[in-house]
Amino acid sequence: MHITVYGDTLCAQVTATAMAQTGHRVNWRVVEPASRERLARGRPLFREQGLDRLFADQLESGRLIPGFWEELPQTAPDAVFLAFPPGEQAAAEGLARRLASSTGCGVIVNQTVGPVGAAEQLRNIIKQIDPRAVLVALPDLIQEGNAFQTFTRPDSILLGCEEEEGESLVRELLRPFNRRKDVIHVMSLREAEFAKLAISGILATRISYMNDMACLSESLGVDIDVVRVAMGADPRIGESYLYPGCGFGGPGLSSNVLALVDALNKLAAEPGLLERVLQTNERQKEVLFRKFWQFHHGNVAGKKVALWGVAFKPGTHRVDNAPALKVIEALWAQGVEVTAHDPKALPDLQNWAQGRGELTLCDDPYDAAEGADALMLITEWKPYWSPDWQRLKRRMREPLILDGRNIYEPAFVREQGLIYRGIGR
């Protein structure tokens, strides 16, 4: 089939790559000039393990053709995917009008996550112009850091659909990724949008709940990791998203929860649970700074802190709303020197830091720890899981390990002659 994908998002890149890989001819249209320049040089917009190579393969095959969003297709494609960032509803509506007014738009697949009712509004716009047009909602459920895998081997697919033609086409497009068992859940447009936001809300709630329990466990002299395992063993609860840490970030989860909070505030007089979830998360982003402050009894000016991991999660180069950003700002405010290492996110961190404060970026994690008074583990990249503890001890001025993801064994770290502080341990 002939498919056009619009958007500068990771969802757009994954969708375009996956569709091209399964034999479709895909035109990927981006909005920003900088995105077009990257694609013109054969470089992906987002870098994730495995995805980079697959993207390059599809470009080379000729099945994936990049371009600019103003270049409307000469003939109507079989399907158009809209994968804009959250909050870009106006851009999606404007493009839908242009598509419906020119070649006709066939089936539009809206992957853009927006407020409940956004897909209905899009549907009404295109129907007024082209009554034969069909719109379905396919909310983005990919997980950054493992985006291609979660798109091509999904546990669940939410399909908002009101017309049989749309459901039939989307099922065919997703057939290569829906073979083990049928994971497509068909529902109304509004239900698909709300289900996506509700999923994000409960995941965020579990994280913040565990962070509250971790805070309490420290006061009670309880190891939260032991409690976590016991909780996860209960089949009514399960193991997912029970790991306490230094907060969640990223453009997706945070914005989805904010959308739910906005909806609740419009419809309910009292603040809801999710508002508290967001407050807990913002507080948790500074937990490592507070532990550093307490260890040095507030005498932190002039000291040096090394950060391992600044991306908002492993596997991505993005620092949007990352806990590391709030930690860095808190350290800067107290006159602390900051060094950082991350396998992928240093360019994005450098762009964020420009004009804000001094930051030393290191290509080697042990160089970042040189002369440091504390090492903060913020993003649990695999290369950080088994460091050379004696090498760290020799290079640090004060061998204080602040483990923001509880990936280390406290007793073992202490046996190596270092000082360990975790979350709720």
Side-chain angles (χ1 to χ4, degrees):
M1 295 188 196
H2 287 253
I3 296 170
T4 305
V5 179
Y6 289 93
D8 298 53
T9 60
L10 176 60
C11 177
Q13 180 174 318
V14 169
T15 300
T17 303
M19 291 298 159
Q21 187 192 36
T22 53
H24 300 292
R25 184 176 177 83
V26 181
N27 289 280
W28 179 17
R29 303 300 190 215
V30 294
V31 178
E32 299 296 332
S35 301
R36 186 182 189 182
E37 291 172 8
R38 287 184 65 88
L39 293 179
R41 296 195 300 269
R43 298 173 58 190
L45 303 189
F46 300 90
R47 306 183 304 275
E48 289 196 7
Q49 186 173 0
L51 178 59
D52 295 15
R53 178 181 57 80
L54 290 169
F55 172 79
D57 288 346
Q58 300 319 305
L59 280 181
E60 186 177 351
S61 74
R63 290 189 297 271
L64 178 55
I65 305 167
F68 208 47
W69 79 303
E70 293 179 349
E71 301 168 3
L72 291 173
Q74 298 300 312
T75 57
D78 298 290
V80 174
F81 286 79
L82 305 183
F84 292 96
E88 295 290 330
Q89 183 67 15
E93 292 176 1
L95 178 59
R97 286 191 181 93
R98 292 173 56 225
L99 287 168
S101 300
S102 57
T103 62
C105 48
V107 175
I108 290 183
V109 183
N110 185 39
Q111 296 175 288
T112 305
V113 178
V116 176
E120 288 182 353
Q121 192 167 337
L122 268 179
R123 177 205 60 198
N124 294 340
I125 288 172
I126 64 173
K127 287 287 190 184
Q128 289 175 357
I129 301 170
D130 182 0
R132 299 168 301 171
V134 176
L135 183 132
V136 302
L138 190 71
D140 169 18
L141 291 180
I142 63 174
Q143 299 173 23
E144 289 207 34
N146 195 26
F148 194 79
Q149 180 78 359
T150 51
F151 185 91
T152 57
R153 294 179 65 87
D155 294 315
S156 176
I157 296 172
L158 307 177
L159 177 57
C161 189
E162 298 172 342
E163 298 177 64
E164 185 176 338
E165 178 186 348
E167 179 182 345
S168 176
L169 181 67
V170 172
R171 282 190 176 277
E172 173 58 25
L173 291 173
L174 299 180
R175 179 173 49 81
F177 321 125
N178 190 40
R179 297 191 65 194
R180 291 175 296 164
K181 61 177 181 178
D182 188 3
V183 297
I184 298 177
H185 305 282
V186 181
M187 56 195 77
S188 71
L189 297 174
R190 279 179 173 257
E191 287 165 343
E193 291 172 321
F194 185 69
K196 161 63 181 177
L197 298 180
I199 289 169
S200 297
I202 198 164
L203 295 180
T205 300
R206 285 171 70 100
I207 295 170
S208 287
Y209 175 80
M210 287 306 295
N211 284 332
D212 268 350
M213 293 301 99
C215 182
L216 182 58
S217 73
E218 292 185 6
S219 301
L220 297 175
V222 172
D223 187 340
I224 192 61
D225 204 50
V226 175
V227 176
R228 174 190 63 78
V229 173
M231 291 174 63
D234 189 319
R236 297 171 298 176
I237 298 173
E239 301 173 346
S240 299
Y241 286 79
L242 287 186
Y243 292 88
C246 52
F248 61 81
L253 190 58
S254 301
S255 63
N256 293 341
V257 178
L258 281 170
L260 279 174
V261 169
D262 288 342
L264 285 166
N265 287 340
K266 291 176 182 177
L267 300 173
E270 297 295 327
L273 169 66
L274 291 174
E275 202 160 352
R276 169 65 175 163
V277 165
L278 290 175
Q279 292 170 359
T280 298
N281 186 58
E282 289 306 301
R283 180 202 70 203
Q284 199 68 13
K285 288 181 179 181
E286 294 186 343
V287 65
L288 294 185
F289 171 78
R290 292 195 296 270
K291 289 178 181 293
F292 174 67
W293 174 276
Q294 292 163 3
F295 181 84
H296 290 287
H297 306 288
N299 300 314
V300 298
K303 295 193 179 296
K304 179 179 178 180
V305 169
L307 307 185
W308 277 9
V310 296
F312 78 86
K313 67 182 295 187
T316 180
H317 62 89
R318 304 176 74 180
V319 298
D320 311 55
N321 301 317
L325 305 186
K326 196 156 189 176
V327 172
I328 292 170
E329 289 177 332
L331 293 169
W332 279 342
Q334 297 300 322
V336 178
E337 180 184 353
V338 183
T339 62
H341 175 269
D342 188 282
K344 290 189 176 183
L346 293 185
D348 283 34
L349 180 66
Q350 186 175 37
N351 290 336
W352 171 84
Q354 285 180 356
R356 288 186 166 93
E358 293 295 324
L359 188 63
T360 302
L361 307 181
C362 301
D363 294 328
D364 183 274
Y366 296 95
D367 289 345
E370 183 71 43
D373 297 286
L375 169 63
M376 295 184 179
L377 185 285
I378 298 181
T379 311
E380 66 278 27
W381 290 91
K382 289 301 182 184
Y384 299 148
W385 281 67
S386 300
D388 184 336
W389 293 113
Q390 293 308 311
R391 185 180 177 188
L392 266 180
K393 184 180 176 182
R394 289 192 301 269
R395 301 194 72 164
M396 295 179 69
R397 183 162 51 198
E398 180 77 61
L400 172 62
I401 306 300
L402 299 173
D403 183 1
R405 300 299 173 185
N406 286 356
I407 67 173
Y408 302 129
E409 175 53 49
F412 183 82
V413 176
R414 289 170 182 140
E415 287 172 3
Q416 306 306 303
L418 295 96
I419 305 163
Y420 178 87
R421 299 288 188 273
I423 308 296
R425 310 179 82 182

